[in-house]
Amino acid sequence: MTSSVPTPTPPTRWVTQHGPDHAQWYIDRFRTMAAEGADLAGEARLVDAMVTRQSRILDAGCGPGRVGAELFARGHSVLGVDADPALIEAAQVDHPGPTWLVGDLADLRLNEEFDAVVVAGNVLPFVAAGTEPAVLAGLFAAVRVDGFVVTGFGVDRGYALADFDAHCAGAGFVREHRFATWDLRPWQPEAEFAVTVLRRPAAE
């Protein structure tokens, strides 16, 4: 079974807020961190602990592929989607194995369902302004009933948590957990980062 995602339009804030060299800087940054032995697998460890073996996982806003690649190495089937072609090209070069596709999360159309979706790396604050409800609706459609989506982003990145929570509820998600970090430190109102677990509930 194959999947396809249309090319991104309108431009994401990843594009409009950064110069043309930002993607390469981002790629080089994580290649350097990996070469230096930095721990880049925290998000993947959390997701891996929450799913059964050989799960089907969507890495939404996958960037150069570090999270999806780690989940693939742990035995899961992974599809990564990102709006930036340079990041997808880097993922294909650095992390063969998963499927990597260029596409805008605001126009996500996949012909399969996933056991889990991971949205790491401040992805949601970088989608095109005003498309957040469409992005979350697409993620809801992409995850199977009783599957989950886990997101993480800085609360100072321009996407208010109150708006995020309202958009999640509007998409049909039930919020199960919120933490201050990917290693599950307790959520506090003054926290600078929010990791949220969303469940697609069974139909009543």
Side-chain angles (χ1 to χ4, degrees):
M1 183 178 292
T2 60
S3 300
S4 62
V5 195
T7 54
T9 182
T12 64
R13 280 173 285 193
W14 171 263
V15 172
T16 59
Q17 293 180 8
H18 299 103
D21 298 328
H22 186 73
Q24 191 58 53
W25 171 85
Y26 191 77
I27 293 163
D28 292 342
R29 175 191 177 204
F30 278 99
R31 283 175 173 167
T32 298
M33 292 171 69
E36 293 174 347
D39 180 7
L40 302 177
E43 300 100 325
R45 282 197 298 271
L46 173 58
V47 176
D48 182 57
M50 297 173 66
V51 294
T52 58
R53 298 304 86 197
Q54 299 181 326
S55 286
R56 183 70 172 141
I57 299 174
L58 173 63
D59 185 357
C62 62
R66 63 180 180 85
V67 177
E70 180 66 25
L71 289 165
F72 182 83
R74 292 168 181 255
H76 304 293
S77 177
V78 175
L79 170 65
V81 176
D82 198 283
D84 192 314
L87 299 182
I88 289 296
E89 182 179 1
Q92 292 168 339
V93 170
D94 293 349
H95 305 295
T99 299
W100 308 109
L101 297 177
V102 177
D104 193 332
L105 297 180
D107 199 17
L108 193 66
R109 298 292 184 273
L110 302 173
N111 61 357
E112 58 187 308
E113 290 185 330
F114 296 83
D115 301 303
V117 180
V118 57
V119 194
N122 288 308
V123 169
L124 288 172
F126 281 137
V127 302
T131 66
E132 298 91 348
V135 170
L136 287 160
L139 297 180
F140 184 88
V143 71
R144 64 169 174 78
V145 171
D146 202 38
F148 68 89
V149 174
V150 59
T151 75
F153 60 89
V155 299
D156 61 347
R157 294 294 184 123
Y159 188 22
L161 274 180
D163 292 337
F164 169 67
D165 288 340
H167 296 158
C168 290
F173 284 114
V174 173
R175 192 181 88 194
E176 286 194 342
H177 304 288
R178 174 160 290 154
F179 305 100
T181 61
W182 285 97
D183 59 356
L184 306 186
R185 299 197 181 196
W187 169 252
Q188 303 290 342
E190 63 273 16
E192 298 178 354
F193 201 83
V195 174
T196 306
V197 178
L198 305 164
R199 184 77 59 178
R200 177 174 176 172
E204 295 183 356

